[in-house]
Amino acid sequence: MSNHEFEAQVKQNIEGLGRDPLLKKKAWEWAVEASEKYNYSYNFRWGGLPIIQFPQDLMAMQEIFWSAKPDLVIETGIARGGSLSFWSSLMCLLDTYEGLDPRKSIRKVVGVDIDIRPHNRKALDEHPLRFKIELIEGSSIDPEIIQQARSHADGVDRVLVSLDSSHTHEHVLAELNAYADLVSVGSYCIVFDTAIEDLPAGSFPDRPWDVGNNPKTAVHEWLTTHPEFQIDKNIDNKLLISVAPDGYLKRIG
Ligand SMILES: C[S@@+](CC[C@H](N)C(=O)[O-])C[C@H]1O[C@@H](n2cnc3c(N)ncnc32)[C@H](O)[C@@H]1O
């Protein structure tokens, strides 16, 4: 089979997945069961640090990094550092593929969190790719923090944004307004945990978010005034199992 034929087949596979409501339903039921009973997304690590994601989304992210080749990633929501570890590994790979020395290239990852706990900071400080990572402590929607994070984008061509902090509608909307304009055309703003909208109501009794008040509702509202971004349904269809359905926002203009 030629490369062309292979790509055509993959395209057909993904379109087929997108038209299979029964398989989508089964995948979603599996994801809900896994998340609710076993905190599935908490059980993985990257570069030794816990990463609170579904592995399927990480596969999508590496495909995005490969196509968008970002020089800067801004991520809100650090937790135990696993996602910063993952993004910085991908940045080093991109450097290496391009014949650059990862220690000298401009590529970096900026992480913002309202509460970088001492043990998490220590783990990040000891991480072998710490030289690729900038840490900012404070609320991602505080104007001073926004300015600090945005300053890293000065003069940078290719920017990717990942939003994974507080999951309320109001907070995510404010983050989209604060950071999404930095995303370069062809790159992405990824809004994690949009899946909250599709979970049974009351799934997070100790959190302020729920059905009707979460990242997906924020994405849908924000997109009505931002036609320069489009939900990449191809990714949703390919993954089926994801914490970010409708959350892969591609900048198209
Ligand atoms: C879901 S976790 C992040 C998971 C991480 N991205 C990963 O993949 O491993 C959410 C994080 O957001 C942080 N957070 C909550 N509210 C925030 C805010 N207003 N500004 C910045 N970070 C916030 C929390 O402290 C927590 O560490």
Side-chain angles (χ1 to χ4, degrees):
M1 190 189 286
S2 70
N3 284 347
H4 180 72
E5 285 165 337
F6 181 80
E7 289 309 328
Q9 193 180 73
V10 169
K11 188 167 176 287
Q12 215 180 5
N13 292 341
I14 295 170
E15 284 167 0
L17 286 165
R19 286 191 304 265
D20 189 335
L22 186 61
L23 190 58
K24 275 189 186 175
K25 185 168 169 281
K26 281 185 180 165
W28 181 244
E29 281 166 359
W30 177 90
V32 172
E33 286 283 300
S35 299
E36 288 206 335
K37 279 201 197 147
Y38 304 107
N39 274 335
Y40 183 80
S41 66
Y42 283 70
N43 306 331
F44 301 91
R45 289 172 174 258
W46 186 267
L49 302 182
I51 180 164
I52 306 169
Q53 299 294 352
F54 274 18
Q56 288 81 354
D57 288 304
L58 299 178
M59 187 55 92
M61 289 298 283
Q62 69 77 26
E63 289 194 10
I64 287 175
F65 271 67
W66 180 250
S67 66
K69 300 192 170 35
D71 293 318
L72 173 70
V73 173
I74 297 182
E75 167 153 275
T76 66
I78 297 172
R80 294 172 188 274
S83 50
L84 290 186
S85 168
F86 195 86
W87 317 147
S88 57
S89 302
L90 293 176
M91 295 298 248
C92 288
L93 269 184
L94 286 175
D95 284 341
T96 307
Y97 291 148
E98 291 173 9
L100 302 171
D101 177 346
R103 287 187 179 270
K104 293 188 186 146
S105 94
I106 62 157
R107 282 210 168 91
K108 69 180 163 191
V109 178
V110 175
V112 180
D113 201 293
I114 198 165
D115 181 14
I116 307 178
R117 307 223 167 130
H119 54 279
N120 293 333
R121 187 182 283 276
K122 182 169 181 288
L124 278 164
D125 283 344
E126 290 168 357
H127 193 280
L129 301 184
R130 180 67 173 86
F131 64 93
K132 278 286 192 207
I133 300 170
E134 301 278 343
L135 298 177
I136 301 176
E137 187 159 18
S139 174
S140 55
I141 57 168
D142 174 329
E144 264 183 42
I145 298 294
I146 293 171
Q147 201 216 332
Q148 226 179 301
R150 288 183 63 97
S151 69
H152 290 279
D154 290 347
V156 175
D157 285 339
R158 291 172 300 192
V159 180
L160 179 147
V161 169
S162 160
L163 305 179
D164 192 21
S165 67
S166 170
H167 301 318
T168 67
H169 178 98
E170 196 187 0
H171 185 85
V172 176
L173 199 56
E175 284 189 328
L176 283 163
N177 287 327
Y179 301 105
D181 67 297
L182 295 174
V183 173
S184 31
V185 175
S187 185
Y188 285 73
C189 177
I190 300 99
V191 183
F192 283 104
D193 284 328
T194 46
I196 294 167
E197 177 67 2
D198 309 316
L199 288 167
S203 292
F204 303 93
D206 54 344
R207 303 291 188 134
W209 45 84
D210 204 340
V211 174
N213 170 19
N214 57 64
K216 192 187 269 188
T217 57
V219 162
H220 288 167
E221 180 179 330
W222 187 79
L223 283 177
T224 61
T225 51
H226 290 275
E228 73 276 21
F229 281 86
Q230 201 173 59
I231 293 170
D232 190 337
K233 280 285 183 190
N234 199 46
I235 296 180
D236 294 346
N237 290 339
K238 174 157 41 178
L239 296 183
L240 286 191
I241 292 170
S242 167
V243 300
D246 286 5
Y248 288 92
L249 309 182
K250 183 171 188 178
R251 183 151 194 180
I252 53 166

